[in-house]
């Protein structure tokens, strides 16, 4: 705790970005290793954070470790900047790191996200931090951690295709629509966290650094900028993203990921961009959907 | 034994101690291509330990196991890396276990169970995988319309047949079987044995089968190894060991069985 | 005269019954004889004299305590008494056949397949092997409706005919027969006699136990009295 020397601060304050320097250093080492071995899950000594597991403790620790005083932080939850989780985490870093925050994807230098990748193309000077509930893509079929580590070590990924096979056998197509497994840099198979598979192509060759933090499971993994990320599939059932029948009702965007919004109890509903910043920016630029004001 | 006949698997002086308890003592044997070798003995005789040692699931306290790889070289399995050994186990070997829950993925459909090895060796065409799985289900007499059912819905005999299909789909040269008919009804056993017998002949498989059932050994195996207290006490052609047993223990085993 | 197909010399065998306090049951001792191509020799003597045991020793089904059993296998001669199991298995596959008294039934395998199996094992085309099996079963008067059924439910005589067909379908220079006609009627005995004569003409050496005097007199060139070996034992 350092206090007193900064004018106008409350008496009790936090170490920059909450975590002590040794912890941040430990996390940075894990991040460096994760970048050096793309897609590989690096164990790290996750700390107890002042929030429950499942609220992004992994992502918060990664953000804390990479955040500098000049960074501009954006936090989204399911694409939205104004949900409880996003607001709380933004507030947390405003308080503990006193960094500038934003809801604008283009203004942000660090973006912590739960379940989405922004629609706006990311840049080389940006870091995307994912909150990860279950980092192990093979767990569904192989619950033994000792065994999954072996499978990763030896690149035995037949099992991952068994899951996709099961999907097709049961549903006629690959029914996995989120947390869709990817192969990173031709080596490790990775769980991209529960983002919709719609977002999977954005991970490929992204100029931004992508970091993944799982707090409960104490794992960090990464996709360095401009890394090949391939969604697993079959030759006769190639990977395909969701398509939406109509453009966004508010901004008229096509090719963006849409959420269904229930309007009334008479079956009224509309489809709008899940990325609120993207939608607002388009509306400010004058784009209008069929229900746009 | 012509000059060209070479063993597929060679075990030399295999011993395994569990602390002070001895699982297996100084066992040496050879298995040739296309041959079925039965390992018989009572529970606790060390036959299952021997199978684990031969299949490299257990590391021996002393001794070694060598296998003739597809390149023709007889190779000490301990000298292989984990990756090579695992590749061997899921392509060139099979392992049919007594308890199908250990040999199958119970929550995965029959087709997925059979297809797993194919996907593991790089098959990436769903239609081809499914076709191959269907073919193998047919060979083990499981109706094609059960391909999307998971083995929890299967009877014990069907589960064992599925396990066999899952193992044979990559055309292994050597299959380990640990009491594959254990716990099945007699009529179900007969069907399974006949199926195994046919597949072994058609595919020219080498099989090392552990069983306490001498009738199973009689029906399936060419040669037999009798184990007692971790040691091999008698070996020979199966009918010779069963019809003219030499060792007191083997005589006891044979005489304890109703007409084999 | 040419080399014998089978040469038995100084063969002795005693069963040791460990479950009966190591009781010793001598079977034969000093057994010796030769068998040449194209001849059929019967092992003679009362039951219990060791005929069947001797036959089983030649086949390698029973072990031999002393002596040698030399079987010609092409250019090689194999001592059954000392050969390793792998060599013995191969010897059975190429050089000697065995028609046992009873058919060991394999569940779910049809009579036709049971008969054709040795030929298929020899590498003969499956269709050709099955055709030969059909011809043989027809000659042995096994009703055609039974051919596709597993022999488990057949009568003793029907099973024996399947067994004979299986034992005779492939060519083996040495043929061992243990009472092949025991449960056959006169007509089928005559068929078997014909089959044995054909084998002899093909140069096969046959060693057998033939209790049926009619068959024995028809096919056997000489009789070896096993009592002599039993006495010595």
């Amino acid at each position: 705790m350092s206090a007193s020397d900064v004018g106008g601060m409350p008496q009790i304050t936090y170490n920059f970005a909450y975590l002590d320097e040794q912890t941040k250093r430990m996390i940075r080492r894990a991040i460096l290793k994760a970048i050096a071995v793309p897609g590989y899950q690096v164990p790290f000594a996750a700390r107890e954070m002042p929030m429950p597991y499942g609220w992004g403790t992994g992502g918060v620790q990664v953000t804390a470790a990479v955040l500098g005083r000049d960074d501009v932080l954006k936090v989204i939850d399911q694409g939205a900047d104004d949900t409880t989780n996003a607001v709380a985490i933004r507030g947390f870093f405003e308080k503990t790191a006193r960094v500038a925050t934003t809801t604008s994807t283009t203004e942000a230098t660090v973006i912590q996200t739960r379940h989405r990748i922004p629609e706006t193309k990311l840049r080389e000077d940006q870091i995307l931090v994912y909150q990860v509930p279950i980092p192990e893509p093979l767990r569904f079929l192989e619950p033994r951690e000792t065994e999954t580590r072996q499978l990763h070590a030896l690149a035995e990924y037949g099992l991952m295709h068994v899951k996709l096979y099961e999907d097709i056998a049961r549903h006629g197509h690959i029914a996995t629509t989120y947390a869709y497994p990817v192969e990173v840099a031709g080596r490790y198979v990775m769980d991209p966290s529960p983002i919709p598979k719609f977002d999977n192509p954005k991970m490929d060759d992204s100029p931004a650094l992508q970091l993944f933090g799982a707090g409960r499971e104490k794992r960090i993994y990464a996709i360095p900028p401009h890394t090949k990320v391939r969604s697993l599939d079959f030759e006769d059932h190639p990977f395909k993203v969701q398509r939406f029948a109509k453009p966004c009702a508010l901004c008229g965007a096509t090719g963006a990921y849409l959420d269904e919004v229930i309007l009334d109890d008479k079956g009224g509903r509309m489809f709008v961009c899940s990325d609120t910043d993207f939608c607002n920016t388009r509306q400010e630029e004058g784009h209008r959907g069929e229900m746009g004001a | 034994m012509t000059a060209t006949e070479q063993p597929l698997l060679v075990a030399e002086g295999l011993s395994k101690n569990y602390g002070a308890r001895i699982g297996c003592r100084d066992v040496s044997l050879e298995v040739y291509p296309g041959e079925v070798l039965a390992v018989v003995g009572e529970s606790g005789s060390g036959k299952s330990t021997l199978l684990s040692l031969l299949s490299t699931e257990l590391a021996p306290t002393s001794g070694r196991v060598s296998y003739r790889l597809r390149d023709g070289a007889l190779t000490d399995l301990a000298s292989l890396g984990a990756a090579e050994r695992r590749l061997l186990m899921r392509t060139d070997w099979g392992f049919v276990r007594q308890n199908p829950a250990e040999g199958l993925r119970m929550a995965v459909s029959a087709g997925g169970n059979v297809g797993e090895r194919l996907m593991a060796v790089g098959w990436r065409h769903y239609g081809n995988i499914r076709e191959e799985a269907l073919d193998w289900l047919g060979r083990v007499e499981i109706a094609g319309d059960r391909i999307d059912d998971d083995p929890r819905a299967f009877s014990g005999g069907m589960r064992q047949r599925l396990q066999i299909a899952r193992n044979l789909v990559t055309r292994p040269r050597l299959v380990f079987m640990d009491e594959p008919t254990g716990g099945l009804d007699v009529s179900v056993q007969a069907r399974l044995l006949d199926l195994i017998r046919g597949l072994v002949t058609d595919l020219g498989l080498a099989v090392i089968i552990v069983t306490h059932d001498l009738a199973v050994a009689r029906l399936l195996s060419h040669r037999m190894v009798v184990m007692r207290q971790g040691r091999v006490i008698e070996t020979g052609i199966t009918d010779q060991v069963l019809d003219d047993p030499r060792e007191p223990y083997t005589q006891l085993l044979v005489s304890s069985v109703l007409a084999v | 005269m040419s080399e014998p197909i089978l040469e038995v010399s100084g063969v002795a065998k005693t069963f040791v019954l460990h479950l009966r306090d190591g009781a010793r049951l001598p079977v034969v001792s000093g057994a010796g004889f030769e068998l040449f191509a194209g001849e059929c020799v019967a092992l003679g003597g009362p039951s219990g004299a060791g005929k069947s045991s001797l036959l089983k020793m030649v086949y390698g089904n029973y072990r031999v305590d002393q002596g040698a059993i030399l079987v010609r296998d092409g250019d090689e001669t194999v001592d059954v008494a000392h050969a390793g199991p792998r060599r013995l298995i191969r010897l059975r596959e190429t050089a000697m056949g065995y028609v046992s008294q009873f058919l060991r039934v394999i569940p779910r395998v049809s009579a036709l397949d049971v008969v054709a199996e040795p030929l298929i094992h020899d590498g003969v085309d499956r269709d050709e092997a099955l055709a030969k099996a059909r011809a043989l079963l027809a000659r042995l008067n096994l009703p055609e409706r039974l051919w596709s059924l597993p022999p488990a439910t057949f009568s003793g005589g029907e099973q024996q005919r399947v067994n004979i067909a299986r034992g005779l379908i492939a060519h083996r220079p040495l043929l061992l027969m243990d009472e092949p006609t025991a449960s056959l009627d006169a007509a089928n005995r005559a068929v078997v006699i014909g089959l044995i004569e054909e084998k002899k003409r093909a140069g096969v050496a046959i060693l057998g136990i033939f209790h049926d005097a009619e068959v024995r007199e028809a096919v056997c060139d000489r009789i070896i009295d096993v009592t002599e070996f039993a006495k010595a034992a």
Side-chain angles (χ1 to χ4, degrees), chain B residues 167-219:
Chain B
N167 274 281
L168 297 189
V169 68
T170 50
R171 305 293 181 118
R173 291 186 298 161
L174 175 62
V175 178
F176 301 94
M177 297 187 179
D178 189 3
E179 303 274 9
T181 58
L184 298 176
D185 291 345
V186 176
S187 62
V188 176
Q189 270 195 26
R191 183 177 182 188
L192 185 66
L193 286 172
D194 176 47
L195 183 84
I196 293 174
R197 193 178 155 276
L199 288 170
V200 162
T201 313
D202 290 351
L203 303 172
L205 292 176
V207 176
I208 303 175
I209 180 170
V210 158
T211 180
H212 69 276
D213 187 338
L214 299 182
V216 169
R218 163 89 79 181
L219 189 65

Side-chain angles (χ1 to χ4, degrees), chain B residues 48 51 55 57 89 93-104 117 140 156-169 172 174-182 184 192 195-196 199-200 205 207-210:
Chain B
S48 289
L51 200 65
S55 62
E57 287 193 340
M89 288 174 94
W93 288 5
F95 204 133
V96 177
R97 294 169 199 281
Q98 177 174 11
N99 178 2
E102 287 172 24
L104 293 171
R117 274 177 166 232
V140 298
M158 276 175 83
R159 288 178 183 181
Q160 285 309 61
R161 298 203 302 276
L162 180 61
Q163 220 193 143
I164 288 165
R166 172 177 161 87
N167 274 281
L168 297 189
V169 68
L174 175 62
V175 178
F176 301 94
M177 297 187 179
D178 189 3
E179 303 274 9
T181 58
L184 298 176
L192 185 66
L195 183 84
I196 293 174
L199 288 170
V200 162
L205 292 176
V207 176
I208 303 175
I209 180 170
V210 158

